[in-house]
Amino acid sequence: MPELPEVETIKRGLVPCIEGRRIRELIVLTEKSCQGNPGVAKDAMVKGLRRRGKALLIDLDNGWTLMVHLRMTGQLIWRPDDGETFAGGHPSNNFIADLPNGQTRVIFVFDEGKLFFNDQRKFGFVKILRTEAVEEDSFIAALAPEPWEMDAHELYEKCQRHAKAPIKAVLLDQKIIAGLGNIYADESLFYAGVHPAEKAGNLSEKQVSRLLLGARETMERSIDSGGSTMATYIKPDGTTGNYLENFAEVFRREGKACNRCGETILKTRVTGRGTHYCPKCQPAPEDWEETSSISSRRAQVGYVEKLMPEVCE
């Protein structure tokens, strides 16, 4: 699924495409993919676009908001009547194919173009909410503050409340800190010199402070470079970001030398997720074994399934 920098990149790219344009109709092709009454969007103008965590919020001038979550394979494809096509999300032939097609779930019909919400696996959704009620929505209300909105002491206290959980599981939990996914959790942990399997309760407040700083800096650099170059998400203009190529220190770099110490980057599994780390810069906890027992792995995965089910999809 997209991480916060990818959604932010998509939001910024779509602003010049649809902001200020009037929606003539919202056509729902798959009922599961749209929650709420699509009729309220008829003849409404897009007032602005914003983001909350990994959700894209399209505010209309009539007091309604369209919340879009791309999840695993969602796409937003802008096709103007005259001009360039823009696309963001899971890359596929849909970017150049005739639309709508079998993966099109919702169509935003504008005066001079259409915005297609495609989703192969149908995990994503468009949710129609009163703008004044967005923060009260269960999905939004459950989100914790983002790294820029949280101080180190607050995150430290949350780590203490989840003391026995691996720190990577804590970072992936959107109810603890919003916006971090697999890529930026690994990068933040490397920045702070913390092993992904270290128990959250073992971290000092100084370590947590550096971890939060790492989250902010790695995500800011990613946004500036247009997001990650993962094969799952691309920028709204159809090009890929260059974060992994230019800035990633550990993610997808297994077998390569660490830029900091020269040790070989390793890949393992923590909380059921592929995890990248430097064994020298991020010393393993004493009880960590690369070939962890099946029961230990199940316990880690169980923690994530309980608090954040979507990371195990």
Side-chain angles (χ1 to χ4, degrees), residues 169-186:
V170 171
L171 294 180
L172 291 175
D173 186 348
Q174 302 299 292
K175 296 178 182 178
I176 294 176
I177 182 169
L180 283 170
N182 208 37
I183 299 173
Y184 303 102
D186 283 2

Side-chain angles (χ1 to χ4, degrees), residues 4-216:
L4 186 155
E6 283 68 59
V7 178
E8 178 66 22
T9 301
I10 290 170
K11 183 207 77 176
R12 294 181 184 185
L14 284 178
V15 165
C17 299
I18 65 173
E19 191 171 82
R21 292 183 182 269
R22 194 169 296 280
I23 299 175
R24 289 307 180 191
E25 186 179 9
L26 203 61
I27 302 174
V28 179
L29 301 179
T30 303
E31 290 187 8
K32 175 184 176 182
S33 299
C34 186
Q35 305 169 28
N37 177 16
V40 302
K42 183 177 176 61
D43 296 327
M45 182 179 291
V46 175
K47 185 178 179 180
L49 288 85
R50 54 195 170 107
R51 178 193 52 74
R52 184 69 175 92
K54 301 176 185 180
L56 177 66
L57 300 170
I58 303 174
D59 293 322
L60 308 180
D61 66 352
N62 63 356
W64 290 90
T65 292
L66 309 176
M67 179 170 71
V68 182
H69 201 308
L70 299 178
R71 287 294 178 96
M72 299 290 288
T73 57
Q75 302 170 318
L76 287 171
I77 304 169
W78 168 247
R79 293 280 176 87
D81 294 342
D82 183 24
E84 295 184 0
T85 295
F86 291 86
H90 185 75
S92 72
N93 291 335
N94 288 333
F95 291 124
I96 57 174
D98 291 334
L99 296 176
N101 62 17
Q103 295 180 14
T104 304
R105 310 303 173 193
V106 181
I107 306 173
F108 303 71
V109 181
F110 288 83
D111 278 333
E112 300 175 347
K114 295 182 178 69
L115 180 66
F116 297 90
F117 173 61
N118 277 34
D119 188 11
Q120 180 182 355
R121 298 182 67 182
K122 294 187 283 189
F123 289 153
F125 59 83
V126 176
K127 194 171 188 178
I128 303 166
L129 303 163
R130 280 283 187 186
T131 303
E132 62 187 17
V134 167
E135 294 300 324
E136 300 170 7
D137 177 74
S138 58
F139 181 86
I140 299 295
L143 293 176
E146 296 180 4
W148 301 277
E149 303 166 337
M150 181 182 292
D151 62 40
H153 184 68
E154 180 182 357
L155 182 57
Y156 174 74
E157 289 187 332
K158 291 184 175 183
C159 286
Q160 294 304 304
R161 288 200 292 271
H162 299 273
K164 295 183 179 181
I167 183 58
K168 181 165 182 179
V170 171
L171 294 180
L172 291 175
D173 186 348
Q174 302 299 292
K175 296 178 182 178
I176 294 176
I177 182 169
L180 283 170
N182 208 37
I183 299 173
Y184 303 102
D186 283 2
E187 291 297 311
S188 302
L189 288 162
F190 173 79
Y191 185 98
V194 174
H195 192 280
E198 184 65 74
K199 289 182 174 59
N202 291 342
L203 300 184
S204 67
E205 191 161 353
K206 183 176 180 181
Q207 285 177 303
V208 172
S209 177
R210 184 150 180 83
L211 187 55
L212 185 60
L213 179 62
R216 292 170 181 164

